[in-house]
């Protein structure tokens, strides 16, 4: 009997264990969404001497986990998971508009589109929506039956991991030190996720002016390793 693709077979019901494995797959660096090609302004900060070592990178990540745009996106995930398609599309577009830099908006669109195509290829049949990264991530959480707090944790964890991956290539920061930073930030991510799940996202604000300026200035760099 010929083997069938996941799309042809449909998806089998998931146990709690398989749900955890799905979550691991969602944050895997092998997820084909192109996250490795983006630095989200980190390259500007390094080239201008504002981040020069592991301590500086860790301080930057801690600040963004408290006040960055990524936290507002993460806070909206539980509502996006439950939203009907028109509301999901509209709120996702609103979140995308909060990103000032054209490169960041292009990044969000590309990664969101890639994730939606992956879900379709896996036989999860996402709705025919044009979503950026937050909306697509929420849709993946819904399709994979991931609890809201775990999905928020995964969103923050994946963002930190991608930033550290970029930092390894930009800063004198080896892979072992990067893992130590990720390990040290785990309690921060867990605590922040817990507070964001219980928060009213309409009442949240960001203070990431430095990140926004760095993201806007990335297009002006003479030489670049990353796309944002």
């Amino acid at each position: 009997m010929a083997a069938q693709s996941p799309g042809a077979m449909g998806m089998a019901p998931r146990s709690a264990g398989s749900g955890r494995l799905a979550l691991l797959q969602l944050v895997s660096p092998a997820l084909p969404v192109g996250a490795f090609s983006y630095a989200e302004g980190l390259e500007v900060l390094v080239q201008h001497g504002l981040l020069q070592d592991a301590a500086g990178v860790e301080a930057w990540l801690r600040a963004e986990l408290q006040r960055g745009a990524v936290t507002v996106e993460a806070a909206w995930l539980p509502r996006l998971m439950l939203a009907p398609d028109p509301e999901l599309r509209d709120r996702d577009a609103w979140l995308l508009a909060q990103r000032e830099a054209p490169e960041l908006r292009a990044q969000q669109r590309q990664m969101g589109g890639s994730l939606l195509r992956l879900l379709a290829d896996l036989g999860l049949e996402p709705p025919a929506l044009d979503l950026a990264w937050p909306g697509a991530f929420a849709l993946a959480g819904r399709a994979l039956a991931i609890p809201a707090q775990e999905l928020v944790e995964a969103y923050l964890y994946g963002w930190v991991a991608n930033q550290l991956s970029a930092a390894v290539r930009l800063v004198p920061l080896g892979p072992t030190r990067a893992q130590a930073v990720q390990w040290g930030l785990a309690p921060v991510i867990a605590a922040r996720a817990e507070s964001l799940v219980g928060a009213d996202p309409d009442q949240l604000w960001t203070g990431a002016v430095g990140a926004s300026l760095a993201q806007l200035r990335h297009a002006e760099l003479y030489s670049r390793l990353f796309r944002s």
Side-chain angles (χ1 to χ4, degrees):
M1 178 177 177
Q4 292 179 293
S5 69
M9 294 185 291
M11 303 302 289
R14 290 186 171 275
S15 65
S18 64
R20 286 192 294 271
L21 293 177
L23 182 64
L24 293 174
Q25 186 170 356
L26 193 57
V27 298
S28 168
L31 195 74
V33 296
F36 66 90
S37 61
Y38 300 106
E40 300 191 19
L42 195 67
E43 191 166 14
V44 170
L45 299 173
V46 172
Q47 287 202 23
H48 286 80
L50 299 174
L51 292 182
Q52 299 181 323
D53 53 25
V57 171
E58 182 172 357
W60 172 260
L61 294 174
R62 286 180 180 273
E64 287 297 291
L65 286 171
Q66 293 300 322
R67 299 183 292 275
V70 66
T71 61
V72 174
E73 294 170 353
W76 272 103
L77 293 179
R79 290 196 184 185
L80 295 180
M81 290 174 70
L82 301 175
D85 291 350
E87 182 182 341
L88 170 60
R89 181 191 61 241
D90 292 346
R91 181 56 60 177
D92 179 71
W94 179 85
L95 287 170
L96 182 64
Q98 307 310 301
R99 296 289 194 164
E100 294 94 341
E103 288 184 348
L104 257 292
R105 294 195 295 272
Q107 170 188 333
Q108 298 278 61
R109 292 191 190 96
Q110 181 270 302
M111 290 177 59
S114 294
L115 182 54
L116 292 178
R117 286 191 294 274
L118 175 62
L119 294 177
D121 289 342
L122 293 176
L124 294 172
E125 300 181 359
L129 296 176
D130 182 14
L131 298 174
W133 181 241
F137 202 86
L139 199 61
R142 181 200 302 175
L144 298 170
I146 296 171
Q149 184 163 333
E150 293 183 13
L151 191 71
V152 173
E153 285 181 350
Y155 195 85
L156 298 177
Y157 178 92
W159 179 82
V160 169
N162 288 334
Q163 288 282 282
L164 285 171
S165 175
V168 167
R169 288 171 276 175
L170 293 169
V171 184
L173 177 72
T176 300
R177 187 70 185 98
Q179 287 298 305
V181 172
Q182 182 94 48
W183 179 265
L185 289 175
V188 179
I189 292 171
R192 196 70 178 112
E194 183 176 4
S195 67
L196 291 173
V197 166
D200 179 357
D202 280 319
Q203 301 302 315
L204 297 179
W205 54 273
T206 67
V209 178
S212 297
L213 290 174
Q215 292 156 9
L216 285 165
R217 296 180 68 180
H218 184 263
E220 302 171 359
L221 292 179
Y222 178 75
S223 63
R224 297 179 287 176
L225 291 177
F226 295 92
R227 295 173 63 186
S228 70

